Amino acid sequence: MARDTRSLRTSITAKALSLLPRHWKRLLWERLIRLTLAAAAVVSVLTTVGIVSVLLFEAVLFFQEVSILEFLTGTRWTPLFASQHFGILPLITATIITSAGAMLVALPLGLLSAIYLSEYAPDPVRRGLKPVLEVLAGIPTVVYGYFALLFVTPLLRQISPNVSVFNGLSASIVMGIMILPMVSSLSEDAMRAVPRSLREGAYALGSTKLEVSTRVVIPAALSGIAAAFILAISRAVGETMIVAIAAGQNPTFTLNPFVPIETMTAYIVQVSMGDTPTGTLEFKTIFAVGLTLFLLTLMMNLLSQYVVRRFREEYE
Amino acid sequence: MAAASPDFRRRMTRRQWEGRAFHGLCLLAVAVALAMLVLLLVYLARQGLTRVSWEFITSFPSRDPDQAGIKAALLGSIYVVAIAAVVAFTLGVSAAIYLEEYAVRNWRSRIIQVNITNLAGVPSIVYGILGLEIFVRTLGLGRSVLAGGLTMALLVLPIIIIAAQEAIRAVPPSLREGAYALGATRWQAIWHLVLPQAMPGILTGVILAVSRALGETAPLIVMGALTFVPFAPDGPLSRFTVLPIQIFNWTSRPQAGFHEAAAAGIIVLLALLLTMNAAAIVLRNKFQRRPEG
Amino acid sequence: MQQSDAILQTRGLTVYYGSKQAVSDITLDVARHRITAIIGPSGCGKSTLLRCFNRMNDLIPKSRITGQVLFEGRDLYSPTVDPTEIRYQIGMVFQRPNPFPKSIFDNVAFGPRINGFRGDLAELVESSLARAALWAEVKDRLTSSALALSGGQQQRLCIARALAVQPQVILMDEPCSSLDPIATLAIEDLMRELSADYSIVIVTHNMQQAARVSDYTTFLMGIENRGGQIIEYGETRLIFTNPKDERTEAYITGRFG
């Protein structure tokens, strides 16, 4: 022990004497690392700047030749034909059909699944079931497109001969299945965040599980559930492959789910797959459509974040 | 105690029945979702399982559906995903470290944070437009596998940043304090303690992000990947296709033979994804079992 | 106390968190090779004061100080001083043992390694562990995880880890508050032993502990909106037997806090 102490103390005095010039090198090194890391964080900002400026720049060029009014109110979309019309409404109605249809599937199924997972399922069942449901969200969308076109559509056509080979209905059903786990997972998170004391209070008054779920838990988790729905709609609006494969490439101004339609995303795919030369007015349409799509989804995402923030304030 | 009135008992019975019906309804919803998954998998297996073979994996596409294979698409996917993984991992983890360990909480870091959240919600096809304009045209990389990989890197970057931030935040602050108290600089504490602790969580996020990139189709179509590629990519500037585009292409053909090839391609794609997700689960379990410091 | 006997000094030290004062106008000398205890009711800024001595408060956003902290007569907060250099001359042991999720050996070797120690690392680790009275218990399992040790052993490991960078001062922030009485006793014995070679400042909420181990005691108390202030400072034996301030007397006799 004596030896240890002595060796420790000699180095103590040695150290105290020098004010260590290497600390400048160390500071410089630290600053360099900090700068590099900050640059990486800035890349994400640049990505946004890139997206916005690319879309805006090309869209402005587009709108120099096509009036915004025509673009927003026109009911014919035929940029690739001889008689060109640039009314985006057919693409919008198609997007509305497929997204609304998908929500009609995903909303009830997702919400009921969430209630089951959060209120009914015993813990081991819940833990087993959740990852399995999430597999549905992990399946590539091109796979869903295949399933919609080659399995669901023939099935629908057997039921009703009015259904075309390409149609909005089949795409929306399958898209609904795809976004179901998103709805159920996020809604369940919101429901589980509802304090237990609230549930216990209701049970203590003699409520059944149904009454607790629908009159206490869902109202309390409402903003979280609403945020999940908005996010799911945004996802459906931006979804591409299912609609590109199964819904068709006919920009029709209609709300009929049985006929071929073309969503905004499917249109962008159509132009990209074709041989439209870049730089032409026809090609620039994808930027105008892309900008519309970007703004729509951005608005929904911001709305959903706003709703979630308000929700957090209620219980945390 | 007074006996419950018959009226109350009648109402109670009705409420109990309603409760049971609702429970059944909830179960039904879960069952429908699971049934869809099973249906999808069974259908794919019946369509394509017989076409999956070593030959299918090692052949180039062909005009004859029975000869067609996925060699070029599979290699293209591996190239794109590898580039995306390396780039997004480096950028994403660096950005996450900066945001969690260095950035002062002010309006600037808040903007970066909000921005990342919103980037995660941008439709993937928009990234394709970005990739087309920036990597393919402005930087002149052409419609190459490198441009595709970089586009995918930007697409999964927000996912990786968010996952890495969560993993870094989960490292107890007492470890950092312990290191600082020994004269460690910020970076030394991060490098020697925070990152090793956070790595399983980060890698889980990276694997999930990479499987997202593996299944994406639309952005690569927009940035101009080919649909028919009878050659393997031979460098970063080579033209390419990927597995999902190959599947898309075969699905769009009218011949049933191509539909079978598409199903077989899907089976290979799902097998790859399953392997990656299994790896992520193994990592996550390892992460969760670790004793706290 | 003689100037040369004080290793650490504060002069009119006030610490702010945002606009709130955590401690104010602290003037205190910490004696070399002695144990100085900082006691006081919870929330009076004991830990804040302790963390000024190795600039750990720098890591808390919006914290700032006025006044001076001198280490060997040198201003610790002068712009030419790198806080990381300070921290390896002034070690710290925390309230809860915080061993790194590494082996016992790597825990002790951590500080020397990051500071570019050239020499016999194994010998340094052994002597540090021996100094912390832990060597006999762990010498056969240096490569096993530090997290497998008991709480008391973990805390002694943290002390060994602090000793390995060969500091002159050891700051201890309620080092026994999460330990059982037997482990506490071991740490207290260790502190007495270490005080031959090191200057120790200990924050404790346990007055018996201050009375048992320390040579000097500072009594801190929060005053209205101005944060903690020194009420009384002096030799421990005098403070505990013959406090001059009635608030000190009230505190040590357990009438509040």
Side-chain angles (χ1 to χ4, degrees):
Chain A
M1 189 63 100
R3 180 186 59 98
D4 299 338
T5 311
R6 200 168 330 111
S7 73
L8 282 177
R9 293 183 77 182
T10 38
S11 46
I12 286 167
T13 29
K15 198 168 66 179
L17 289 179
S18 72
L19 225 180
L20 300 145
R22 78 195 170 99
H23 98 245
W24 287 111
K25 220 164 86 187
R26 212 150 106 158
L27 276 179
L28 209 70
W29 181 234
E30 277 288 313
R31 192 149 304 174
L32 199 71
I33 288 171
R34 190 196 164 100
L35 221 66
T36 314
L37 297 176
V42 166
V43 169
S44 70
V45 179
L46 288 182
T47 308
T48 307
V49 172
I51 289 174
V52 173
S53 48
V54 161
L55 291 176
L56 268 184
F57 178 76
E58 298 278 351
V60 163
L61 292 181
F62 173 79
F63 286 122
Q64 280 170 356
E65 294 180 56
V66 176
S67 85
I68 293 192
L69 196 70
E70 188 204 333
F71 181 73
L72 290 179
T73 59
T75 56
R76 290 178 69 194
W77 182 259
T78 55
L80 307 177
F81 293 135
S83 74
Q84 288 182 323
H85 292 277
F86 299 98
I88 199 176
L89 286 182
L91 303 186
I92 300 273
T93 53
T95 305
I96 290 174
I97 291 177
T98 52
S99 309
M103 288 317 288
L104 281 180
V105 174
L107 200 148
L109 286 181
L111 188 55
L112 288 171
S113 303
I115 295 174
Y116 176 75
L117 289 173
S118 153
E119 307 297 317
Y120 286 93
D123 211 41
V125 174
R126 191 183 72 83
R127 260 180 306 180
L129 217 49
K130 236 186 144 173
V132 176
L133 277 182
E134 274 161 15
V135 168
L136 280 172
I139 290 176
T141 56
V142 69
V143 178
Y144 281 113
Y146 177 95
F147 188 64
L149 179 69
L150 298 176
F151 181 81
V152 177
T153 299
L155 206 65
L156 292 174
R157 279 160 66 84
Q158 275 181 7
I159 297 169
S160 159
N162 293 336
V163 178
S164 315
V165 174
F166 297 107
N167 64 81
L169 182 61
S170 161
S172 24
I173 292 173
V174 173
M175 198 146 83
I177 301 293
M178 181 195 81
I179 55 180
L180 185 157
M182 186 174 182
V183 174
S184 75
S185 193
L186 292 176
S187 308
E188 192 216 335
D189 288 346
M191 288 182 203
R192 286 169 68 81
V194 172
R196 220 174 46 169
S197 55
L198 235 62
R199 288 191 184 84
E200 282 169 351
Y203 281 124
L205 294 175
S207 309
T208 62
K209 220 160 208 182
L210 163 65
E211 289 152 356
V212 173
S213 305
T214 53
R215 301 208 192 140
V216 176
V217 178
I218 292 184
L222 200 59
S223 39
I225 296 171
F229 287 167
I230 300 168
L231 220 55
I233 297 173
S234 161
R235 180 76 195 280
V237 167
E239 166 46 36
T240 308
M241 293 319 291
I242 299 176
V243 287
I245 292 174
Q249 302 192 328
N250 302 50
T252 320
F253 184 58
T254 177
L255 288 173
N256 180 354
F258 298 141
V259 298
I261 48 177
E262 183 169 47
T263 64
M264 292 187 278
T265 50
Y267 173 74
I268 298 175
V269 166
Q270 188 195 359
V271 173
S272 307
M273 301 275 292
D275 43 17
T276 314
T278 56
T280 58
L281 180 64
E282 292 85 327
F283 194 78
K284 284 190 193 108
T285 54
I286 71 166
F287 298 99
V289 174
L291 183 64
T292 314
L293 179 67
F294 174 74
L295 290 178
L296 269 177
T297 50
L298 180 69
M299 262 161 23
M300 284 189 272
N301 293 343
L302 289 176
L303 181 64
S304 136
Q305 282 161 40
Y306 171 74
V307 173
V308 162
R309 237 196 329 272
R310 274 199 28 206
F311 168 69
R312 286 224 181 101
E313 278 162 13
E314 281 165 37
Y315 286 107
E316 278 173 19
Chain B
M1 208 173 105
S5 71
D7 192 38
F8 173 82
R9 218 174 301 150
R10 211 169 33 244
R11 250 186 302 131
M12 197 62 225
T13 320
R14 213 191 64 219
R15 281 167 61 203
Q16 278 168 347
W17 274 108
E18 278 170 359
R20 265 175 231 148
F22 185 68
H23 187 175
L25 201 63
C26 291
L27 256 176
L28 188 69
V30 177
V32 167
L34 292 181
M36 279 305 195
L37 180 62
V38 172
L39 198 62
L40 175 70
L41 294 179
V42 168
Y43 177 69
L44 286 171
R46 281 188 50 188
Q47 288 283 298
L49 209 52
T50 49
R51 278 287 274 116
V52 180
S53 64
W54 184 244
E55 210 187 327
F56 177 69
I57 293 171
T58 54
S59 302
F60 286 114
S62 157
R63 240 173 299 173
D64 177 0
D66 296 330
Q67 304 282 309
I70 54 168
K71 183 177 181 184
L74 193 58
L75 286 172
S77 275
I78 292 171
Y79 262 74
V80 166
V81 163
I83 293 170
V86 170
V87 174
F89 174 82
T90 316
L91 284 176
V93 175
S94 304
I97 294 173
Y98 178 76
L99 289 172
E100 288 303 311
E101 302 283 329
Y102 286 92
V104 187
R105 306 251 171 265
N106 58 15
W107 63 271
R108 244 176 298 164
S109 63
R110 233 183 349 262
I111 283 182
I112 297 182
Q113 200 66 62
V114 168
N115 172 58
I116 289 166
T117 316
N118 280 310
L119 275 181
V122 172
S124 62
I125 196 165
V126 172
Y127 282 94
I129 297 179
L130 178 74
L132 174 71
E133 287 292 285
I134 302 293
F135 298 125
V136 176
R137 290 167 69 178
T138 309
L139 295 181
L141 298 177
R143 296 162 191 274
S144 62
V145 73
L146 178 61
L150 292 176
T151 304
M152 283 303 190
L154 290 187
L155 172 71
V156 299
L157 188 59
I159 306 175
I160 292 185
I161 295 178
I162 292 169
Q165 276 186 289
E166 275 168 18
I168 289 170
R169 221 175 293 147
V171 177
S174 65
L175 288 188
R176 296 179 184 84
E177 290 209 316
Y180 294 144
L182 293 171
T185 60
R186 224 170 248 269
W187 178 248
Q188 283 171 325
I190 293 165
W191 184 252
H192 293 287
L193 286 170
V194 176
L195 277 186
Q197 282 291 97
M199 210 32 100
I202 293 175
L203 287 181
T204 308
V206 170
I207 292 174
L208 293 179
V210 164
S211 38
R212 167 92 191 272
L214 188 59
E216 274 292 347
T217 323
L220 294 179
I221 291 178
V222 174
M223 79 34 62
L226 296 173
T227 52
F228 185 84
V229 180
F231 53 84
D234 57 0
L237 292 179
S238 171
R239 298 218 54 187
F240 72 106
T241 191
V242 290
L243 204 41
I245 294 183
Q246 184 68 73
I247 293 165
F248 173 48
N249 178 260
W250 281 336
T251 305
S252 314
R253 306 278 193 95
Q255 299 97 320
F258 280 122
H259 295 164
E260 284 166 21
I266 288 173
I267 291 170
V268 174
L269 181 64
L270 291 183
L272 280 174
L273 289 172
L274 195 69
T275 316
M276 284 168 48
N277 280 287
I281 290 169
V282 169
L283 266 174
R284 187 154 42 177
N285 288 346
K286 207 176 138 189
F287 186 48
Q288 281 169 346
R289 248 188 288 118
R290 202 194 53 215
E292 282 300 312
Chain C
M1 193 185 303
Q2 297 291 311
Q3 157 82 22
S4 59
D5 283 330
I7 186 161
L8 283 166
Q9 298 162 297
T10 67
R11 292 290 172 260
L13 173 70
T14 301
V15 182
Y16 300 86
Y17 290 141
S19 58
K20 207 175 131 255
Q21 292 186 7
V23 296
S24 66
D25 198 24
I26 302 283
T27 295
L28 172 72
D29 286 358
V30 173
R32 190 186 304 276
H33 295 179
R34 293 287 182 276
I35 300 180
T36 304
I38 303 175
I39 61 169
S42 44
C44 70
K46 304 185 292 281
S47 293
T48 300
L49 175 58
L50 189 74
R51 292 162 73 96
C52 285
F53 291 130
N54 64 346
R55 292 188 59 173
M56 286 295 272
N57 282 334
D58 290 22
L59 303 167
I60 298 168
K62 289 184 183 169
S63 76
R64 64 191 173 86
I65 70 149
T66 59
Q68 277 188 316
V69 183
L70 305 174
F71 171 53
E72 299 281 21
R74 226 165 62 213
D75 185 359
L76 271 186
Y77 283 81
S78 122
T80 60
V81 167
D82 175 3
T84 61
E85 300 288 352
I86 294 308
R87 293 184 198 130
Y88 93 112
Q89 302 183 49
I90 303 179
M92 189 166 206
V93 176
F94 296 85
Q95 200 166 352
R96 293 172 147 275
N98 57 348
F100 302 139
K102 295 168 177 284
S103 72
I104 293 170
F105 185 94
D106 287 342
N107 260 277
V108 182
F110 185 89
R113 275 185 183 145
I114 60 163
N115 287 303
F117 175 79
R118 275 168 236 266
D120 191 342
L121 198 57
E123 194 191 301
L124 179 64
V125 169
E126 181 183 338
S127 62
S128 306
L129 282 168
R131 207 71 182 83
L134 192 59
W135 175 250
E137 288 161 64
V138 301
K139 64 173 190 285
D140 299 323
R141 46 170 175 155
L142 289 176
T143 53
S144 54
S145 170
L147 301 179
L149 296 174
S150 73
Q153 287 174 322
Q154 288 189 355
Q155 196 60 302
R156 274 178 285 149
L157 179 69
C158 291
I159 294 174
R161 190 172 71 185
L163 295 179
V165 292
Q166 306 172 349
Q168 304 177 61
V169 182
I170 302 173
L171 309 174
M172 297 188 166
D173 190 355
E174 304 194 23
C176 304
S177 63
S178 64
L179 303 182
D180 62 63
I182 295 177
T184 300
L185 202 64
I187 302 274
E188 286 178 6
D189 285 347
L190 178 59
M191 283 165 58
R192 288 294 345 156
E193 217 171 277
L194 290 173
S195 69
D197 302 303
Y198 301 91
S199 314
I200 297 177
V201 186
I202 174 175
V203 163
T204 178
H205 61 261
N206 178 339
M207 279 170 294
Q208 285 75 31
Q209 182 169 58
R212 277 195 302 266
V213 301
S214 70
D215 303 299
Y216 296 93
T217 297
T218 309
F219 173 57
L220 233 60
M221 207 171 100
I223 306 229
E224 280 143 35
N225 302 324
R226 301 195 47 218
Q229 284 185 314
I230 295 183
I231 303 299
E232 197 165 346
Y233 177 44
E235 281 188 53
T236 299
R237 130 186 99 73
L238 293 177
I239 294 250
F240 278 90
T241 53
N242 188 15
K244 294 192 188 72
D245 194 296
E246 60 188 18
R247 288 169 295 183
T248 315
E249 189 179 358
Y251 181 70
I252 61 176
T253 52
R255 262 181 268 150
F256 71 93

